Structure formats: structure tokens, C-alpha cells
Amino acid sequence: MNGADTAWIIVATALVLFMTLPGLALFYGGLVRARNVLSVFMHCYAIACLMSVLWFAFGYSIAFGSGTSGYWGGLDKMLLLGMTADDLSGTLPEILFFAFQMTFAIITPALIVGAYVERVGFGFVLLFSGLWMLLCYAPVVHWVWGGGMLSDGGIFGETGVRDFAGGIVVHQTAGLAALLLAVFLGPRRNQTTPPHNPGFVMIGAAMLWVGWFGFNGGSQLAADGGAAMALTVTHISAATASLTWALWEKIKFGKASLVGMVTGTIAGLASITPASGFVGPVEALIIGAVAGVLCQEAVNFVRNALKIDDTLDVFAVHGVGGIFGTIMIAVFGAGSFVAQLGSLAIVGVFTIVVTVVLIFVVRAITPLRVDAETETNGLDLSVHGERAYDMTS
């Protein structure tokens, strides 16, 4: 065990959990109507709790078990049976590696929340998220990070896919699942109401930005120069994408908005995620500069051309950003085009199939969408019996 590595990953684990609780919750919560903000908080919080238990029970073993199959890790590590504080994963206690990866398993299905806010059934959220994490996310983790079929020595030969912190594993899978759920749900009854609290959005985005240092820097799994470089390029990409998003808004609409600028931050962070361990500051500047415009145009395409109500633009920002960053690894010569594009295609098809099947199965058990009256009155009071704001108190 290396003490410095262990100390850094303990901090990184806390930072990645901080991304979901409270970062993502505030970011998403500020973007919805006041009558739905608590439901968004509830979704993020409940997902964090449920994914933690399921990752402990089965997810970690499926992703990082010692099974020889290239498709899944088996169940030899379920419930962490036999694992002690002295067992190592590289230079880290394996129990710490488990905890670090658990925070990734929390935020990935939590990202999907943005696609279905304001109209989804709470039971559907929990059942779908749990099954999706186990049957879609965990196997993809094994393929890419767990020595599975897409990693070095797999189906792409000696040099497999390069995905440092989750462009494919996290952002592509969550983005595609979000887009499909938005299609099956249909649009909200009221799509014209602006974000109820842009201040929440900015605070949440800032928390995500800080937490992303643990997300990307921690993925080095060591306290060394590689972690420092990953952290630095993450920051450069986020800053640059924020500026180009705001500039593109100013050019197109005459005004640069706060919500737009911080959405650009998230686009830059998602785009640099897969490449953060393979590129330098100049490449990060280029990735961020393009991401701010590319993801904004993707938002417009999904909303206006495809007419899909992906409420908080999960696919356009996270999905497109993660895919773009994954491709840029090959563009900058740090990976092969065959492995990068091939892995995107394989994981994309797998995610689409599993997500569609789960939507049909879960909605046969519990309603996918709330009724019209509940949606009109808001999910906070109708589903959870609480209001975010009581103006009479």
C-alpha cells in the first residue's frame, strides 16, 4: 500500500460523491419549476442510497470480479465477502478502490435524472435505475476498466479503448439512456417555464466543477504527476467551454446567460473526462473550445429538429460531450480510431438494447409517467407531500 496514493483517493472519493450530493441535485433542481425541485432532490438522494447498496451487493463484483469472462466479472466479490482492509488493488486498499468506484456508480444513473424530471413516477425511477446500473453500467465498466473485452488484449488487440475517467462508461451510457427515456415519456405538458432558480444551477455547477477534480484526477489512482495533469486539463477544458458557450450564445441571441455559461462548464468537463489522462493543456483548450459550441448546437438539434424533450439536455451535454472527447483521444494520437470508434459503437448498441428492454419491463411493473393532474400540480406535493418553498411561513 502507498500512503500518498491512498490519502489522495480517499479525498477523490469524497469529491466524486460531492458531485451528486449536493452538486448535481442543485444543478438539476434549479433548472426545474419550483413545484418540482424537491422531487429532483429526492431522485438524486434516493439513487445515491440505492446504488450504494446495489454496488456493494452485486455491482462491484460484476464490474471488477476476478472472473475470466471478457463480458462480466462474475459474482465472486458480491457483498465484498472475504475482503479485508489489508487486501490491495494496485497500491490502494481494495476497499477504497471499491468505494471510489461506488461513487461513479452513483452519479451515472443520477445523470439520467435530468431527462425525465417533472413527469416521471418515483417507483419507476428507483426500479429502472437499480436494474440499469447492474445490467448496463456495471458490465460496461468491466469491458473498459475491469480487463474485459474492450480493454488492452481484448477484441481490438494489444491496444484497447482509451477512456480515462468515463467518456464511454459514464457519459455515453447515461446520455443514450436519457435520450431513450425522454422519447418513451413524451414531452412535458408545460415546456415553456424557465428555470426557477438559476442561482441553484450556478452553485450546483460550481460544485460539480470542484468535484470533477476527484472524478478525473482520482482516476489516475495515484498521487503523482499524472493526477496533477488530469486535474489541470480538466480545469482548462471547463473554463474554455464556459467561455465559448457564452460567446456563441451572445453571437446567436444577443445575450450570454448564466445558465448557459455554467452548462458550458459541464460540457467542457464531460468532454475532457475520457481524455484527461492522455492529453496536455493545449489539447484540453481545443477540446473545451469546441465542446462549448458543439454541445450547445446539440441542445438545439435535440430540442428543435428531433423534437425530443430531454428536459435538462442530458444527451446533448453529457452524451455528445463524452463521445466527442472519446474521439479526440484518437485525433490527438493517444489511441486508435478503430478501438475508440468501435467501442463507442459496441457500447452504444448495448446501452440502447438494455435500456429499451428495461423500460418495457419496468413500466409493466410500475407506471412510467405520472397522471396529468399530478404533473400539473407538481411532483413535490403530489408524490412526496412536501413543498420546497412555503411563502406563508
Side-chain angles (χ1 to χ4, degrees), residues 361-378:
V361 170
V362 175
R363 77 176 183 182
I365 300 170
T366 184
L368 168 60
R369 184 166 180 158
V370 298
D371 58 57
E373 182 179 359
T374 298
E375 184 177 347
T376 299
N377 293 334

Side-chain angles (χ1 to χ4, degrees), residues 331-365:
V331 171
F332 290 128
S336 77
F337 278 102
V338 172
Q340 299 304 107
L341 296 175
S343 297
L344 284 168
I346 292 169
V347 172
V349 171
F350 176 76
T351 301
I352 290 169
V353 171
V354 173
T355 301
V356 170
V357 170
L358 285 178
I359 290 172
F360 277 106
V361 170
V362 175
R363 77 176 183 182
I365 300 170

Side-chain angles (χ1 to χ4, degrees), residues 111-363:
L111 290 174
I112 304 172
V113 168
Y116 53 58
V117 291
E118 302 196 304
R119 63 201 189 279
V120 74
F122 184 57
F124 181 91
V125 170
L126 293 184
L127 186 55
F128 174 84
S129 298
L131 291 173
W132 187 87
M133 190 277 284
L134 291 174
L135 300 178
C136 183
Y137 173 77
V140 173
V141 172
H142 180 72
W143 297 353
V144 177
W145 293 336
M149 64 176 185
L150 301 182
S151 59
D152 293 352
I155 61 175
F156 294 114
E158 183 178 345
T159 302
V161 68
R162 295 289 179 259
D163 183 7
F164 189 70
I168 294 175
V169 175
V170 175
H171 295 288
Q172 184 196 19
T173 58
L176 286 173
L179 190 68
L180 290 166
L181 275 166
V183 170
F184 277 87
L185 270 168
R188 291 163 291 163
R189 296 172 63 84
N190 185 346
Q191 300 180 53
T192 59
T193 307
H196 93 281
N197 194 331
F200 274 9
V201 181
M202 177 270 177
I203 293 168
M207 290 175 172
L208 284 164
W209 191 339
V210 173
W212 228 291
F213 290 167
F215 198 84
N216 289 357
S219 291
Q220 178 73 4
L221 300 176
D224 61 11
M229 180 61 80
L231 184 152
T232 301
V233 299
T234 296
H235 186 79
I236 290 171
S237 178
T240 309
S242 304
L243 294 171
T244 57
W245 186 296
L247 176 62
W248 196 239
E249 266 194 340
K250 174 68 175 177
I251 292 171
K252 291 181 66 178
F253 307 115
K255 294 180 180 179
S257 68
L258 173 65
V259 169
M261 188 171 199
V262 302
T263 303
T265 305
I266 307 305
L269 291 166
S271 298
I272 196 62
T273 290
S276 54
F278 309 111
V279 301
V282 173
E283 291 89 348
L285 188 78
I286 296 169
I287 288 173
V290 175
V293 176
L294 174 66
C295 292
Q296 186 176 157
E297 287 305 307
V299 168
N300 295 329
F301 179 75
V302 171
R303 288 181 183 176
N304 302 321
L306 299 182
K307 305 295 184 184
I308 297 173
D309 187 19
D310 177 356
T311 313
L312 308 183
D313 307 310
V314 182
F315 176 74
V317 175
H318 293 278
V320 171
I323 291 168
F324 166 65
T326 300
I327 295 171
M328 292 303 288
I329 294 171
V331 171
F332 290 128
S336 77
F337 278 102
V338 172
Q340 299 304 107
L341 296 175
S343 297
L344 284 168
I346 292 169
V347 172
V349 171
F350 176 76
T351 301
I352 290 169
V353 171
V354 173
T355 301
V356 170
V357 170
L358 285 178
I359 290 172
F360 277 106
V361 170
V362 175
R363 77 176 183 182

